[in-house]
Amino acid sequence: AAPLGGRGGAWLTLAVATLLLPRPVLPLGLADGGVRTTEVVGRQLIVDGQPIHLKGVNWNPVPKGGTHPKDLNFRGFVEVDSALMAGAGINVVRTYETIMDRDVLDCLWRHKIYVLNSVYINANDPVDVVVEKVRALRDHPAMLMWVVGNEWNYNGLYA
């Protein structure tokens, strides 16, 4: 079995800020025509009217001996990793790079795993990439939150 990919490091994300700051109900149009709603009540995340307790991991599937991001392989690891994660009770993954492959998102969703998808990692990328990524994926049921930034001590987003 392939190991769960990942790397350490401190991170502050929009997803965390969403849980700490009061927000309105946010509707998300889904591919099946339905609408997902997400809101924060106190410190509780509510998805489609139901409270959810997130149990997650940072998922960065790079094979042993590989390097990030050159050897990042969501498609090659998703079948085994999602089964392992679901078996461990994990219901959300946070990524270091955007998962744009809908087949990968489909596999995660079959295992009832939500995605906190990184859409903007550092200030070297044009801001327009965020809009393109969100528009391309916003109707997928696995999408729960968009992550902006990683390892804020060097990403240049706060400068």
Side-chain angles (χ1 to χ4, degrees):
L4 294 177
R7 73 174 196 195
W11 53 282
L12 174 65
T13 67
L14 182 61
V16 172
T18 299
L19 292 176
L20 300 177
L21 301 173
R23 299 278 185 229
V25 174
L26 301 173
L28 176 68
L30 300 177
D32 66 3
V35 175
R36 165 174 297 135
T37 59
T38 305
E39 66 180 314
V40 177
V41 177
R43 293 181 61 98
Q44 177 69 62
L45 179 64
I46 308 295
V47 177
D48 296 331
Q50 298 298 315
I52 184 171
H53 178 77
L54 300 179
K55 296 173 271 185
V57 295
N58 290 325
W59 186 52
N60 192 54
V62 173
K64 186 174 182 177
T67 59
H68 173 91
K70 181 177 74 89
D71 297 311
L72 184 61
N73 186 359
F74 290 120
R75 187 177 282 248
F77 284 82
V78 69
E79 291 289 340
V80 171
D81 283 2
S82 60
L84 290 170
M85 290 186 283
I90 291 165
N91 63 359
V92 65
V93 295
R94 187 265 182 165
T95 63
Y96 292 106
E97 302 292 335
T98 310
I99 299 174
M100 295 297 295
D101 185 334
R102 286 181 168 268
D103 290 338
V104 171
L105 294 171
D106 289 345
C107 184
L108 291 166
W109 189 238
R110 277 193 304 277
H111 288 91
K112 302 299 180 220
I113 297 173
Y114 287 104
V115 176
L116 279 60
N117 220 355
S118 292
V119 291
Y120 195 71
I121 299 300
N122 67 60
N124 295 325
D125 294 330
V127 175
D128 295 348
V129 301
V130 174
V131 174
E132 293 168 19
K133 291 175 182 180
V134 170
R135 283 187 177 153
L137 301 170
R138 66 184 173 193
D139 66 340
H140 198 284
M143 295 307 311
L144 184 61
M145 297 180 199
W146 309 104
V147 179
V148 175
N150 182 51
E151 298 181 1
W152 286 71
N153 56 327
Y154 71 85
N155 67 20
L157 290 173
Y158 56 85

